[in-house]
Amino acid sequence: MLDSVEIIFRTFTSFILLWVFVQLLGKQTIAQRTYHLYIASITMGTIAGNLAFNIKIKFLYFIIAISIMGSIVFMLNLVAVRNHRFRKWIAGEPATLIEKGQILEESMERMGYSLDSLKQALRGKGIFNIDEVECAILEVNGSLSVLKKPQYQNTTKQDLSLRPTAENIPVELVYDGNILYENLTKHTYDEEWLMAELKKRNLTVHDISYAVVGTKGNLYIDLFHDQID
C-alpha cells in the first residue's frame, strides 16, 4: 500500500517537473525544433517516466538529474540565442538539397537524405515533378521548405498588377438603424438604391441593426432582435 502511495506521489511530481520544464523553455520544446531540444525532450521524458514508477532509485536522485538536465538545456538555449558562432553547433543549421533547380548530391549524402526521401517530402508539399523545384531546404526540425520555379508558382494579384477597388470590398451602409451616408457617397451606391432594396424585403432603415453590401452587390441585413419573430 505504501508503494502505491509513493508511485502516485512520484507520478504527480514528474508531471509537475515536466510542466515547469516546458514552461521555462517555451513552445519550441514541444516542436523539438533543434538538436539539443530533441535530445532534451527524450532525456527529460525518460527521467520523468522513471521517477514515476522506479521506486528502487532514490527520489532525490531523480530530482537532481532532472534539475541538472533542465539547467543544461536552459544554458544551451541562452548561448544559441546570443552567440551566432555556437548556434549552428548547438541548434544545428538548415541544409540546402536543391539549388537553382539542381540536386546537391554532396549535401544529400552529408545529411543521409536519399532521392526517394526527397521525392516523398516533395509529394507531401503537393509537388510530384522534381523539375518544378527551384530550391529545397531541409530545416533543422526535419521539415522540407520548397520554392517552386517562377513558371510553376501560383499567380497572385500582385503578379497581375491588380489592386483592391470599391467594387471588390464589402461596404457597410447601415449601422444601428442609421444610414452611413459617407459610405454611400464614396461608392457606387445611393440612398435610392438602398431604399429600393429594403422595400423588396418590406423593411425600413429603422428595422435594421446592420446592413452591408457584398463584393457581388448583394445586400446582407441583420435585424434588431425585437424584429426577428
Side-chain angles (χ1 to χ4, degrees):
M1 184 64 181
L2 292 177
D3 290 345
S4 299
V5 174
E6 184 176 354
I7 289 175
I8 292 172
F9 175 73
R10 283 170 173 256
T11 302
F12 275 105
T13 304
S14 64
F15 175 81
I16 293 172
L17 289 174
L18 280 179
W19 184 82
V20 172
F21 172 73
V22 173
Q23 289 292 322
L24 290 176
L25 296 182
K27 295 181 179 179
Q28 58 179 339
T29 308
I30 303 174
Q32 298 175 358
R33 294 182 180 275
T34 60
Y35 295 163
H36 71 295
L37 289 178
Y38 176 75
I39 296 170
S41 299
I42 296 175
T43 306
M44 295 292 280
T46 303
I47 295 174
N50 278 279
L51 169 61
F53 66 86
N54 195 344
I55 59 177
K56 293 181 179 180
I57 302 177
K58 291 183 178 180
F59 181 83
L60 179 61
Y61 293 168
F62 285 114
I63 301 299
I64 294 173
I66 205 168
S67 299
I68 292 175
M69 178 57 66
S71 299
I72 291 173
V73 177
F74 185 76
M75 293 302 298
L76 288 176
N77 266 1
L78 288 179
V79 174
V81 170
R82 298 179 180 180
N83 194 311
H84 179 75
R85 180 183 301 177
F86 294 108
R87 185 179 306 162
K88 67 177 182 179
W89 302 107
I90 297 173
E93 60 180 348
T96 303
L97 304 182
I98 300 178
E99 187 174 22
K100 297 181 180 179
Q102 301 296 319
I103 298 176
L104 305 181
E105 296 182 0
E106 291 185 5
S107 182
M108 294 269 291
E109 292 178 1
R110 186 172 65 254
M111 300 303 298
Y113 214 76
S114 66
L115 183 60
D116 289 337
S117 298
L118 177 61
K119 290 181 178 179
Q120 180 180 353
L122 290 176
R123 288 194 295 271
K125 298 287 185 179
I127 302 173
F128 291 84
N129 187 352
I130 201 169
D131 293 331
E132 297 180 11
V133 180
E134 174 70 17
C135 179
I137 298 175
L138 182 64
E139 304 293 353
V140 176
N141 63 355
S143 63
L144 190 69
S145 299
V146 180
L147 175 67
K148 290 184 178 181
K149 293 178 179 177
Q151 61 268 34
Y152 297 108
Q153 295 179 11
N154 295 329
T155 304
T156 64
K157 288 185 176 182
Q158 185 176 2
D159 297 327
L160 299 175
S161 299
L162 295 179
R163 295 183 178 181
T165 62
E167 286 74 21
N168 56 30
I169 298 177
V171 181
E172 186 179 5
L173 300 182
V174 178
Y175 179 75
D176 198 22
N178 297 307
I179 298 176
L180 303 179
Y181 290 99
E182 184 178 355
N183 288 353
L184 281 174
T185 56
K186 284 184 178 179
H187 299 84
T188 57
Y189 311 104
D190 54 28
E191 186 176 0
E192 183 179 352
W193 173 86
L194 176 60
M195 291 304 178
E197 290 295 319
L198 295 180
K199 187 176 181 180
K200 293 178 183 178
R201 298 166 171 80
N202 295 321
L203 295 172
T204 66
V205 175
H206 301 294
D207 299 327
I208 300 172
S209 171
Y210 179 82
V212 60
V213 62
T215 57
K216 296 182 179 180
N218 299 322
L219 187 65
Y220 300 95
I221 296 174
D222 184 21
L223 300 178
F224 287 112
H225 291 296
D226 56 0
Q227 298 291 333
I228 303 176
D229 289 316

